[in-house]
Amino acid sequence: MRADRVFAYGAAAGLIGDLLLGDPRRGHPVAAFGRAAGAVERVLWRDHRGWGTLHTAVCVGGAVGLGAMAENVVRPSRTASVVLTAAATWAVVGGTSLVREARVIGRALEAGDVEAARDRLPHLCGRDPQALDADGIARAVVESVAENTSDAVVGALVWGAVAGVPGLLGFRAVNTLDAMVGHKSVIYRRFGWASARLDDLAGWPGARLTAVLTALAGDSPRGAVRAWREDAPQHPSPNAGPVEASFAGALGVRLGGTLSYAGRVEHRPVLNQRGRAVATYDIERAVRLSRRVGLLALGAGVAARAFVKGRTA
């Protein structure tokens, strides 16, 4: 079976598995990687970029190498190759868990239970929930759905299309490391530098594809493109900017502005100035848009893989 068909069947099966099963409550492969990366960190941590770069190389290289070995072992069997790709896709994408958490918060807000929504928000993002009212929580959820559509779904599919199982595992390893050590705290400002930079590079193609697909799948393609062009360059993140701006334009809402993370306040640019304030019902609209973008990303990845295979055949 050609490699493009293995990816097409395996990735589709993996996404169906995620849709039906979501993330396991125990024993998730990404959690296992996180524990392993934490063990490596305890050995290698120094307040130095070089040691952080070594940590990143060991962890990401290990994930990519494991994927390459597994892919090589099953290559003689078409069925096993599809199963491996499906399992890897299911392990690294997180679309269903993202949707579930967003909807739990949305239902709490619809019921007027702001405290329940605040209690649940940390499951989705790192904002300080006590600093947010109902509208602020809704905005945080929409922004998290937008960003994680790229990080948890589209980016993984992009690298799966490019490099198969090693690409899937490598992307999730990079993304997980960034969440663990890629922030600018006193402990990780130097040690996490390489992980943060590598995450920016690995996330670049997925973020742009997410923005393009959001414009195609959203209610306002013109608004999505306009917000992406005008507002994304002002965002401090090179990848979250295009994604959040395109979601804002597609949904016709304003995102960005003042944010609070554990008492630390950030003043970010407003994305899609012409839009209205986010309302609770926009959470479900964002979830549906995220689902459509994920399906389009699968189609784009399969088409790109088939094109490359056809050119090299």
Side-chain angles (χ1 to χ4, degrees), residues 176-294:
T176 303
L177 277 184
D178 179 61
M180 293 176 66
V181 305
H183 36 88
K184 296 180 179 180
S185 65
V186 174
I187 296 176
Y188 293 124
R189 182 173 287 109
R190 294 184 181 88
F191 185 80
W193 173 85
S195 291
R197 298 292 77 74
L198 185 58
D199 184 68
D200 287 343
L201 290 172
W204 195 95
R208 273 72 193 167
L209 179 59
T210 301
V212 169
L213 297 180
T214 298
L216 294 175
D219 296 337
S220 176
R222 185 173 298 177
V225 172
R226 182 183 63 243
W228 177 11
R229 185 182 67 249
E230 293 179 357
D231 300 327
Q234 312 306 318
H235 197 284
S237 170
N239 294 330
V243 173
E244 292 184 17
S246 62
F247 257 73
L251 296 171
V253 300
R254 294 191 305 274
L255 298 178
T258 301
L259 311 176
S260 178
Y261 291 91
R264 176 172 54 87
V265 176
E266 292 186 14
H267 299 285
R268 294 184 179 177
V270 175
L271 306 174
N272 193 35
Q273 295 268 6
R274 307 181 192 186
R276 57 173 173 78
V278 176
T280 298
Y281 65 85
D282 291 312
I283 293 176
E284 182 62 28
R285 295 178 65 222
V287 161
R288 292 178 180 175
L289 177 57
S290 176
R291 284 294 200 196
R292 293 195 296 270
V293 168

Side-chain angles (χ1 to χ4, degrees), residues 290-311:
S290 176
R291 284 294 200 196
R292 293 195 296 270
V293 168
L295 290 174
L296 287 174
L298 174 62
V302 168
R305 184 101 175 181
F307 176 77
V308 171
K309 183 66 177 178
R311 291 290 297 271

